[in-house]
Amino acid sequence: MPGGPGVGTTQGFPAYGGDQGDGGPVTEAFPAYGGGPAGPTGGPGFGTGPVGGPAGAAAFDEAPQWPGPDLDGPVPTPVPAPAPAASRPAAAQPKATGKAAGKPAKKGRSKLVLLGGGVIALIGVAYGAGLLLNHSDVPKGTTVLGVDISGSRDEAVSKLQTAFGTRAAAPIQLSVGGKPVELKPEKAGLTLDAQTTVRNAAGSDYNPITVIGSLLGNERVADPVMPTDEEKLQVALQELAGTSGTATEGTIKFDTGKAVAVPGTPGTTLDVDASVQLVAKTFKDQVATGKAAVAELPTTAKAPAIGQAELDRAMKEFAEPAMSANATVKVGAKSIAFGARSLPKILSMQPVDGRLIEKFDLEALKATYGNTFDGILITRGTGEKTAVTPQDIAGALGKALRGKTTAERTVVVDTNPN
């Protein structure tokens, strides 16, 4: 029976018609392969229909064909599959992050690298050139108080002495209580040590900034060495204090034929301890500038160290006997007498630790005896024989001046004490 819609049909497919007793669908797994066009019972697009359709008769004349390979024919020789090629490890690539990921390097960066390399090379060349030019003892551009002293050590010392020698030897201008006074640097232990200054400034400086700077005219400043002998300076200031200020010290003066006691008076005098550093600074300023301002030295109140009691003792024990008569000194066969006219020129008193002690002016003494003892030799403790000196005469005269008799006032200098 022809199948109606929904009867004996598979869902979604039309029923097969014809003379077939069974109107159901074809139950074969695959549709038959044939050469005829699709019959009406095959439905649209289904190729050759099954048995029972108008085109089905032609389908029985030929055996259905398997669409796959021929299984009944000879088995083809299997061809082995090529072995897979060994994979090469991929080179590790740096991971790019941010905006730079996947973007080529900028040309500007390589230019900066080249520029930096060029600058470093230029600095290296300049540094080498600076070392080559700075092979001298005192590097190029080294100055002391603004004066270039570069060169050998001897040249540097000579330049220092030429520039500052006169300044370092000039008297220092000072003032004590409004009274102008002078002090010689050499006597006060103040000097410019050129040798030490050059020694400190000498030696190669390998600092790149200094070496390259020397090529550009930069200065390498060295400090002058100006040591202070404070002990020697204090002695010089103490002598200066004795002649400056308003205080006067008790002393004894020798006049023609007599000794006169002069009492001291209180007042002000130079403050030695407070003046040491000020004088040293004034000297350094004088060397540096050529002319320093006059330094006003501090003063302090002072009472006379030599009182009336010491004046009386010194007059009795030395001053009065010294001027009482002539004193004679003999050396070998020659002698000379010192009396009322010559003694005031060579004799004075000075305070030492609160006592008055006689002092001889050796230059005036030598001028007084002149060539009296020429040709006479004295054997010294070392065995050496030398000429008579002012110290020999002063030692003998000091003993003669204390004598009271003529014999005591005549002293012989032994020419051969051994």
Side-chain angles (χ1 to χ4, degrees), residues 242 249-254 259-262 306 310-323 343-344 346-352 355-361 401-402:
E249 193 58 80
T251 188
I252 297 175
K253 293 185 177 181
F254 298 93
V260 178
V262 180
I306 304 300
E310 177 58 21
L311 282 174
D312 294 341
R313 182 205 65 80
M315 285 288 291
K316 182 178 180 180
E317 293 181 5
F318 179 79
E320 291 178 348
M323 301 302 294
L343 285 175
I346 63 178
L347 187 61
S348 64
M349 303 291 284
Q350 66 176 358
V352 177
R355 292 175 61 86
L356 285 175
I357 306 298
E358 69 272 16
K359 179 182 178 181
F360 295 95
D361 186 333
L401 292 175
R402 287 178 169 82

CSV table of all heavy atoms in Angstrom, one decimal, residues 242 249-254 259-262 306 310-323 343-344 346-352 355-361 401-402:
chain,number,residue,atom,x,y,z
A,242,GLY,N,111.3,95.1,77.5
A,242,GLY,CA,112.1,95.8,78.3
A,242,GLY,C,112.4,97.2,77.8
A,242,GLY,O,112.8,98.1,78.6
A,249,GLU,N,112.2,99.3,84.6
A,249,GLU,CA,112.8,98.4,85.5
A,249,GLU,C,113.9,99.1,86.2
A,249,GLU,O,114.7,99.9,85.7
A,249,GLU,CB,113.3,97.2,84.7
A,249,GLU,CG,113.7,96.0,85.6
A,249,GLU,CD,112.5,95.5,86.4
A,249,GLU,OE1,111.6,94.8,85.9
A,249,GLU,OE2,112.4,95.9,87.6
A,250,GLY,N,114.1,98.6,87.5
A,250,GLY,CA,115.2,99.2,88.3
A,250,GLY,C,116.5,98.6,87.7
A,250,GLY,O,116.7,97.5,87.3
A,251,THR,N,117.5,99.5,87.6
A,251,THR,CA,118.8,99.1,87.0
A,251,THR,C,119.9,100.0,87.6
A,251,THR,O,119.7,100.9,88.4
A,251,THR,CB,118.8,99.2,85.5
A,251,THR,OG1,120.0,98.7,84.9
A,251,THR,CG2,118.6,100.7,85.1
A,252,ILE,N,121.1,99.8,87.1
A,252,ILE,CA,122.3,100.6,87.5
A,252,ILE,C,123.0,101.1,86.2
A,252,ILE,O,123.3,100.3,85.3
A,252,ILE,CB,123.3,99.8,88.3
A,252,ILE,CG1,122.6,99.4,89.6
A,252,ILE,CG2,124.6,100.6,88.6
A,252,ILE,CD1,123.5,98.4,90.5
A,253,LYS,N,123.2,102.4,86.1
A,253,LYS,CA,123.9,103.0,85.0
A,253,LYS,C,125.3,103.4,85.3
A,253,LYS,O,125.5,103.9,86.5
A,253,LYS,CB,123.1,104.1,84.4
A,253,LYS,CG,121.7,103.7,83.8
A,253,LYS,CD,121.0,104.9,83.2
A,253,LYS,CE,119.7,104.5,82.5
A,253,LYS,NZ,119.0,105.7,81.9
A,254,PHE,N,126.2,103.2,84.4
A,254,PHE,CA,127.6,103.6,84.6
A,254,PHE,C,127.9,104.9,83.9
A,254,PHE,O,127.8,105.0,82.7
A,254,PHE,CB,128.5,102.5,84.2
A,254,PHE,CG,128.3,101.2,84.9
A,254,PHE,CD1,127.4,100.2,84.5
A,254,PHE,CD2,128.9,101.0,86.1
A,254,PHE,CE1,127.2,99.1,85.2
A,254,PHE,CE2,128.7,99.8,86.9
A,254,PHE,CZ,127.8,98.8,86.4
A,259,ALA,N,129.0,104.7,89.4
A,259,ALA,CA,127.8,103.9,89.1
A,259,ALA,C,126.6,104.6,89.8
A,259,ALA,O,126.7,105.0,90.9
A,259,ALA,CB,128.0,102.5,89.7
A,260,VAL,N,125.5,104.6,89.1
A,260,VAL,CA,124.2,105.3,89.6
A,260,VAL,C,123.1,104.3,89.5
A,260,VAL,O,122.8,103.7,88.5
A,260,VAL,CB,123.9,106.5,88.7
A,260,VAL,CG1,122.6,107.2,89.2
A,260,VAL,CG2,125.1,107.5,88.6
A,261,ALA,N,122.4,104.1,90.7
A,261,ALA,CA,121.2,103.2,90.8
A,261,ALA,C,120.0,104.0,90.3
A,261,ALA,O,119.8,105.1,90.7
A,261,ALA,CB,121.0,102.8,92.2
A,262,VAL,N,119.2,103.3,89.5
A,262,VAL,CA,118.0,103.9,88.9
A,262,VAL,C,116.8,103.0,89.3
A,262,VAL,O,116.6,101.9,88.8
A,262,VAL,CB,118.1,104.1,87.4
A,262,VAL,CG1,116.8,104.7,86.8
A,262,VAL,CG2,119.3,104.8,87.0
A,306,ILE,N,112.8,94.5,89.8
A,306,ILE,CA,114.0,94.9,90.6
A,306,ILE,C,113.6,96.0,91.6
A,306,ILE,O,113.4,97.1,91.2
A,306,ILE,CB,115.2,95.4,89.7
A,306,ILE,CG1,115.5,94.3,88.6
A,306,ILE,CG2,116.4,95.7,90.5
A,306,ILE,CD1,115.9,93.0,89.2
A,310,GLU,N,117.4,94.8,95.8
A,310,GLU,CA,118.3,94.3,94.8
A,310,GLU,C,119.2,95.3,94.3
A,310,GLU,O,120.4,95.1,94.0
A,310,GLU,CB,117.4,93.6,93.7
A,310,GLU,CG,118.3,93.1,92.5
A,310,GLU,CD,119.3,92.1,93.0
A,310,GLU,OE1,119.2,91.4,94.0
A,310,GLU,OE2,120.3,91.9,92.2
A,311,LEU,N,118.7,96.6,94.2
A,311,LEU,CA,119.6,97.7,93.7
A,311,LEU,C,120.7,97.9,94.7
A,311,LEU,O,121.9,98.0,94.3
A,311,LEU,CB,118.8,98.9,93.6
A,311,LEU,CG,117.9,99.1,92.3
A,311,LEU,CD1,117.1,100.4,92.4
A,311,LEU,CD2,118.7,99.1,91.1
A,312,ASP,N,120.4,97.8,96.0
A,312,ASP,CA,121.4,98.0,97.0
A,312,ASP,C,122.5,96.9,97.0
A,312,ASP,O,123.7,97.1,97.1
A,312,ASP,CB,120.8,98.1,98.4
A,312,ASP,CG,119.9,99.3,98.6
A,312,ASP,OD1,120.1,100.3,97.8
A,312,ASP,OD2,119.1,99.3,99.5
A,313,ARG,N,122.0,95.7,96.8
A,313,ARG,CA,123.0,94.5,96.7
A,313,ARG,C,123.9,94.6,95.5
A,313,ARG,O,125.1,94.5,95.6
A,313,ARG,CB,122.2,93.2,96.7
A,313,ARG,CG,123.1,92.0,96.7
A,313,ARG,CD,122.4,90.8,96.0
A,313,ARG,NE,122.2,91.0,94.6
A,313,ARG,CZ,123.1,90.9,93.6
A,313,ARG,NH1,124.3,90.6,94.0
A,313,ARG,NH2,122.8,91.1,92.4
A,314,ALA,N,123.3,94.9,94.4
A,314,ALA,CA,124.1,95.0,93.2
A,314,ALA,C,125.1,96.2,93.2
A,314,ALA,O,126.2,96.1,92.7
A,314,ALA,CB,123.2,95.2,92.0
A,315,MET,N,124.7,97.3,93.8
A,315,MET,CA,125.6,98.4,93.9
A,315,MET,C,126.8,98.1,94.8
A,315,MET,O,128.0,98.4,94.5
A,315,MET,CB,124.9,99.6,94.5
A,315,MET,CG,123.9,100.3,93.6
A,315,MET,SD,124.8,101.3,92.3
A,315,MET,CE,125.5,102.6,93.3
A,316,LYS,N,126.6,97.4,95.9
A,316,LYS,CA,127.6,97.1,96.9
A,316,LYS,C,128.6,96.0,96.4
A,316,LYS,O,129.8,96.1,96.5
A,316,LYS,CB,127.0,96.6,98.2
A,316,LYS,CG,128.0,96.3,99.3
A,316,LYS,CD,127.3,96.0,100.6
A,316,LYS,CE,128.3,95.7,101.7
A,316,LYS,NZ,127.6,95.3,103.0
A,317,GLU,N,128.0,94.9,95.8
A,317,GLU,CA,128.8,93.8,95.4
A,317,GLU,C,129.5,94.0,94.0
A,317,GLU,O,130.6,93.4,93.8
A,317,GLU,CB,128.0,92.5,95.3
A,317,GLU,CG,127.4,92.1,96.7
A,317,GLU,CD,126.6,90.8,96.6
A,317,GLU,OE1,126.5,90.2,95.4
A,317,GLU,OE2,126.0,90.4,97.6
A,318,PHE,N,129.0,94.8,93.1
A,318,PHE,CA,129.6,94.9,91.8
A,318,PHE,C,129.8,96.3,91.3
A,318,PHE,O,130.9,96.7,90.9
A,318,PHE,CB,128.8,94.1,90.8
A,318,PHE,CG,129.4,94.2,89.4
A,318,PHE,CD1,130.5,93.4,89.0
A,318,PHE,CD2,128.9,95.0,88.4
A,318,PHE,CE1,131.0,93.5,87.8
A,318,PHE,CE2,129.4,95.1,87.2
A,318,PHE,CZ,130.5,94.3,86.8
A,319,ALA,N,128.7,97.1,91.3
A,319,ALA,CA,128.8,98.4,90.6
A,319,ALA,C,129.8,99.3,91.2
A,319,ALA,O,130.7,99.9,90.5
A,319,ALA,CB,127.4,99.0,90.6
A,320,GLU,N,129.8,99.5,92.5
A,320,GLU,CA,130.8,100.4,93.1
A,320,GLU,C,132.2,100.0,93.0
A,320,GLU,O,133.1,100.7,92.7
A,320,GLU,CB,130.4,100.7,94.6
A,320,GLU,CG,129.0,101.4,94.7
A,320,GLU,CD,128.6,101.6,96.2
A,320,GLU,OE1,129.2,100.9,97.0
A,320,GLU,OE2,127.7,102.4,96.4
A,321,PRO,N,132.5,98.6,93.3
A,321,PRO,CA,133.9,98.2,93.1
A,321,PRO,C,134.3,98.3,91.7
A,321,PRO,O,135.5,98.6,91.4
A,321,PRO,CB,133.8,96.7,93.5
A,321,PRO,CG,132.7,96.6,94.5
A,321,PRO,CD,131.7,97.6,94.0
A,322,ALA,N,133.4,98.0,90.7
A,322,ALA,CA,133.8,98.1,89.3
A,322,ALA,C,134.3,99.5,88.9
A,322,ALA,O,135.3,99.6,88.1
A,322,ALA,CB,132.6,97.7,88.4
A,323,MET,N,133.7,100.5,89.4
A,323,MET,CA,134.1,101.9,89.1
A,323,MET,C,135.1,102.5,90.0
A,323,MET,O,135.5,103.7,89.9
A,323,MET,CB,132.9,102.7,89.0
A,323,MET,CG,131.9,102.3,88.0
A,323,MET,SD,132.6,102.1,86.3
A,323,MET,CE,132.9,103.8,85.9
A,343,LEU,N,134.9,101.9,80.6
A,343,LEU,CA,133.9,100.9,81.1
A,343,LEU,C,132.5,101.3,80.8
A,343,LEU,O,131.7,100.4,80.5
A,343,LEU,CB,134.1,100.8,82.6
A,343,LEU,CG,135.4,100.0,83.1
A,343,LEU,CD1,135.5,100.1,84.6
A,343,LEU,CD2,135.2,98.6,82.6
A,344,PRO,N,132.1,102.6,80.9
A,344,PRO,CA,130.7,102.9,80.6
A,344,PRO,C,130.2,102.5,79.2
A,344,PRO,O,129.0,102.3,78.9
A,344,PRO,CB,130.6,104.4,80.8
A,344,PRO,CG,131.7,104.7,81.8
A,344,PRO,CD,132.8,103.8,81.4
A,346,ILE,N,131.2,99.8,77.6
A,346,ILE,CA,131.1,98.3,77.4
A,346,ILE,C,130.3,97.6,78.5
A,346,ILE,O,130.0,96.4,78.4
A,346,ILE,CB,132.5,97.7,77.3
A,346,ILE,CG1,133.3,97.9,78.6
A,346,ILE,CG2,133.3,98.2,76.1
A,346,ILE,CD1,134.7,97.3,78.6
A,347,LEU,N,130.0,98.3,79.6
A,347,LEU,CA,129.4,97.7,80.8
A,347,LEU,C,128.0,98.2,81.1
A,347,LEU,O,127.7,99.4,80.9
A,347,LEU,CB,130.3,98.0,82.0
A,347,LEU,CG,129.9,97.3,83.3
A,347,LEU,CD1,130.0,95.7,83.1
A,347,LEU,CD2,130.8,97.7,84.4
A,348,SER,N,127.1,97.2,81.4
A,348,SER,CA,125.7,97.6,81.8
A,348,SER,C,125.2,96.5,82.7
A,348,SER,O,125.9,95.5,83.0
A,348,SER,CB,124.8,97.7,80.6
A,348,SER,OG,124.7,96.4,79.9
A,349,MET,N,123.9,96.7,83.2
A,349,MET,CA,123.3,95.7,84.1
A,349,MET,C,122.0,95.3,83.5
A,349,MET,O,121.3,96.1,83.0
A,349,MET,CB,123.1,96.2,85.5
A,349,MET,CG,124.4,96.8,86.2
A,349,MET,SD,125.5,95.5,86.6
A,349,MET,CE,124.7,94.8,88.1
A,350,GLN,N,121.7,94.0,83.6
A,350,GLN,CA,120.4,93.5,83.1
A,350,GLN,C,119.7,92.6,84.2
A,350,GLN,O,120.4,91.9,84.9
A,350,GLN,CB,120.6,92.7,81.8
A,350,GLN,CG,121.4,91.4,82.0
A,350,GLN,CD,121.4,90.7,80.6
A,350,GLN,OE1,120.9,91.1,79.6
A,350,GLN,NE2,122.1,89.5,80.7
A,351,PRO,N,118.4,92.7,84.2
A,351,PRO,CA,117.6,91.8,85.2
A,351,PRO,C,117.5,90.4,84.7
A,351,PRO,O,117.2,90.1,83.6
A,351,PRO,CB,116.3,92.5,85.3
A,351,PRO,CG,116.1,93.2,84.0
A,351,PRO,CD,117.4,93.6,83.5
A,352,VAL,N,117.9,89.4,85.6
A,352,VAL,CA,117.8,88.0,85.3
A,352,VAL,C,117.2,87.3,86.5
A,352,VAL,O,117.9,87.3,87.6
A,352,VAL,CB,119.1,87.4,84.9
A,352,VAL,CG1,119.0,85.9,84.7
A,352,VAL,CG2,119.7,88.1,83.6
A,355,ARG,N,117.3,89.4,89.7
A,355,ARG,CA,118.6,89.9,90.1
A,355,ARG,C,119.3,90.7,89.0
A,355,ARG,O,119.0,90.4,87.8
A,355,ARG,CB,119.5,88.7,90.5
A,355,ARG,CG,119.1,88.0,91.7
A,355,ARG,CD,120.0,86.8,92.0
A,355,ARG,NE,121.4,87.1,92.2
A,355,ARG,CZ,121.9,87.4,93.3
A,355,ARG,NH1,121.2,87.5,94.5
A,355,ARG,NH2,123.2,87.7,93.4
A,356,LEU,N,120.1,91.6,89.3
A,356,LEU,CA,120.9,92.4,88.4
A,356,LEU,C,122.2,91.8,88.1
A,356,LEU,O,123.0,91.5,89.0
A,356,LEU,CB,121.1,93.8,88.9
A,356,LEU,CG,119.8,94.7,88.8
A,356,LEU,CD1,120.1,96.1,89.4
A,356,LEU,CD2,119.4,94.9,87.3
A,357,ILE,N,122.5,91.5,86.8
A,357,ILE,CA,123.7,90.8,86.4
A,357,ILE,C,124.4,91.7,85.4
A,357,ILE,O,123.8,92.3,84.6
A,357,ILE,CB,123.4,89.4,85.8
A,357,ILE,CG1,122.6,88.6,86.7
A,357,ILE,CG2,124.7,88.7,85.4
A,357,ILE,CD1,123.3,88.3,88.0
A,358,GLU,N,125.8,91.8,85.5
A,358,GLU,CA,126.6,92.6,84.6
A,358,GLU,C,126.5,92.0,83.2
A,358,GLU,O,126.4,90.8,83.0
A,358,GLU,CB,128.0,92.7,85.0
A,358,GLU,CG,128.8,91.4,84.9
A,358,GLU,CD,128.7,90.6,86.2
A,358,GLU,OE1,127.8,90.8,87.0
A,358,GLU,OE2,129.6,89.7,86.4
A,359,LYS,N,126.5,92.9,82.2
A,359,LYS,CA,126.5,92.5,80.8
A,359,LYS,C,127.5,93.3,80.0
A,359,LYS,O,127.6,94.5,80.2
A,359,LYS,CB,125.1,92.8,80.2
A,359,LYS,CG,125.0,92.4,78.8
A,359,LYS,CD,123.6,92.8,78.2
A,359,LYS,CE,123.5,92.5,76.7
A,359,LYS,NZ,122.1,92.8,76.2
A,360,PHE,N,128.3,92.6,79.2
A,360,PHE,CA,129.3,93.3,78.4
A,360,PHE,C,128.9,93.4,76.9
A,360,PHE,O,128.5,92.4,76.3
A,360,PHE,CB,130.7,92.5,78.5
A,360,PHE,CG,131.2,92.5,79.9
A,360,PHE,CD1,131.0,91.4,80.7
A,360,PHE,CD2,132.0,93.5,80.4
A,360,PHE,CE1,131.5,91.4,82.0
A,360,PHE,CE2,132.5,93.5,81.6
A,360,PHE,CZ,132.3,92.5,82.5
A,361,ASP,N,129.1,94.5,76.4
A,361,ASP,CA,128.9,94.7,74.9
A,361,ASP,C,130.2,94.3,74.2
A,361,ASP,O,131.2,94.9,74.2
A,361,ASP,CB,128.6,96.2,74.6
A,361,ASP,CG,128.3,96.4,73.2
A,361,ASP,OD1,128.7,95.7,72.3
A,361,ASP,OD2,127.6,97.4,72.9
A,401,LEU,N,137.0,93.4,87.9
A,401,LEU,CA,136.1,94.5,88.4
A,401,LEU,C,135.6,94.3,89.8
A,401,LEU,O,135.2,95.3,90.5
A,401,LEU,CB,134.9,94.7,87.4
A,401,LEU,CG,135.3,95.2,86.0
A,401,LEU,CD1,134.0,95.2,85.1
A,401,LEU,CD2,135.9,96.6,86.1
A,402,ARG,N,135.6,93.1,90.3
A,402,ARG,CA,135.2,92.8,91.7
A,402,ARG,C,136.3,92.9,92.7
A,402,ARG,O,136.1,92.9,93.9
A,402,ARG,CB,134.6,91.4,91.8
A,402,ARG,CG,133.2,91.3,91.1
A,402,ARG,CD,132.7,89.9,91.2
A,402,ARG,NE,131.3,89.8,90.8
A,402,ARG,CZ,130.8,89.8,89.5
A,402,ARG,NH1,131.7,89.8,88.5
A,402,ARG,NH2,129.5,89.7,89.3
